[in-house]
Amino acid sequence: MPRTFYRANLPHIQPLGATFFVTFRLKNSLPKGVIETLRGAYEQTIKSLKDKPGYLELVRNERKRFFAKYDDWLDKTAEGEHYLKQPAAAQAVKEQLHRFDGELYNLIAYCIMSNHVHVLFDTSVQLKEAEDWDSPWQYVPLERIMKRVKGASSRYVNLALDKTGTLWQRESFDHYVRNEQEFHNIIFYILNNPVSAGLVQKWENYPNNFVVEAYRSGGF
């Protein structure tokens, strides 16, 4: 069966057919010391929550706080490469995100920043033909989806910029969406990332934002 949970540097819970919010970043886009400090504080807090009432909800909230700090660093850091500032590189990433739309997922929204990408997509499209499966291995889980997206986009960004080498940090940050309110909050977060970073005043003015038409008038 496809894995629905695994642990690398962070835990990854990946239910079949879920909607996922994923953030992936350029290799070495954050100083190693920053990552170690953030992760150390996160892990220490998680340990302190053990046996407390509402443990799972407390952990989810702490993980959100960890991500907010992590993303704030990505927005503000001048260190590392910022290849995705270049229109040709951003376009290559867009094309690969759309390439798998309707096949591995339904693409809902994304934002391509200078050194990282936020994307929201629904993988339930893969379950529509589940009754025709010969094997559950036909389902492509999130970790393999991201390998395809990152592998293909790495190739085409390198071609666009006439460079070689590993583009993306190996591990991504992923979160499966649990309810409708969270779904809308995440769309708002994605589209307003360049606003929060001071790049534009309105999300609609940022050229590397995308949201499907059904949500364009959602007050984001």
Side-chain angles (χ1 to χ4, degrees):
M1 289 289 291
R3 292 196 295 175
T4 57
F5 175 86
Y6 74 98
R7 178 181 288 276
N9 290 319
L10 289 169
H12 298 265
I13 304 171
Q14 304 179 349
L16 301 187
T19 295
F20 293 101
F21 170 41
V22 184
T23 296
F24 55 107
R25 64 184 177 94
L26 295 180
K27 185 178 180 181
N28 299 326
S29 49
L30 284 179
K32 186 177 180 181
V34 169
I35 294 296
E36 290 176 347
T37 298
L38 290 175
R39 186 177 294 129
Y42 168 80
E43 291 175 351
Q44 188 63 36
T45 301
I46 295 302
K47 286 180 182 178
S48 73
L49 297 176
K50 188 177 180 181
D51 299 326
K52 288 191 175 182
Y55 172 75
L56 292 179
E57 185 62 27
L58 292 172
V59 169
R60 280 196 288 269
N61 289 336
E62 186 57 34
R63 196 162 187 258
K64 289 177 182 178
R65 281 190 283 270
F66 168 85
F67 174 76
K69 294 175 184 177
Y70 165 92
D71 195 40
D72 187 55
W73 266 99
L74 284 171
D75 287 339
K76 293 179 178 178
T77 186
E79 296 194 33
E81 300 292 349
H82 290 261
Y83 293 124
L84 305 181
K85 273 186 177 180
Q86 301 186 48
Q91 182 61 32
V93 176
K94 291 177 190 179
E95 289 174 359
Q96 298 314 307
L97 288 172
H98 285 279
R99 173 183 174 185
F100 301 104
D101 187 21
E103 175 191 353
L104 300 181
Y105 50 71
N106 284 327
L107 188 58
I108 298 164
Y110 62 72
C111 175
I112 301 171
M113 299 292 283
S114 66
N115 60 1
H116 66 288
V117 179
H118 297 301
V119 60
L120 178 67
F121 51 65
D122 176 8
T123 63
S124 66
V125 66
Q126 291 192 59
L127 302 182
K128 291 180 180 178
E129 305 299 329
E131 64 272 14
D132 298 325
W133 288 359
D134 295 323
S135 165
W137 290 107
Q138 290 179 254
Y139 181 85
V140 181
L142 179 61
E143 59 179 304
R144 286 168 52 203
I145 289 174
M146 293 313 301
K147 284 182 181 179
R148 292 193 190 184
V149 170
K150 291 165 76 174
S153 59
S154 179
R155 176 189 175 194
Y156 288 106
V157 168
N158 280 343
L159 285 171
L161 301 184
D162 193 24
K163 63 180 290 295
T164 59
T166 302
L167 183 72
W168 302 111
Q169 195 72 19
R170 183 181 63 84
E171 191 173 10
S172 303
F173 184 99
D174 56 74
H175 171 81
Y176 80 90
V177 181
R178 291 167 172 80
N179 55 59
E180 186 175 357
Q181 183 60 56
E182 189 174 55
F183 176 84
H184 287 281
N185 289 345
I186 289 170
I187 294 177
F188 178 90
Y189 184 91
I190 290 173
L191 296 179
N192 278 277
N193 194 179
V195 178
S196 300
L199 301 179
V200 292
Q201 291 188 333
K202 296 182 179 181
W203 71 262
E204 298 95 325
N205 297 335
Y206 189 66
N208 297 324
N209 265 352
F210 167 83
V211 63
V212 292
E213 191 63 34
Y215 298 102
R216 287 195 66 85
S217 59
F220 303 113

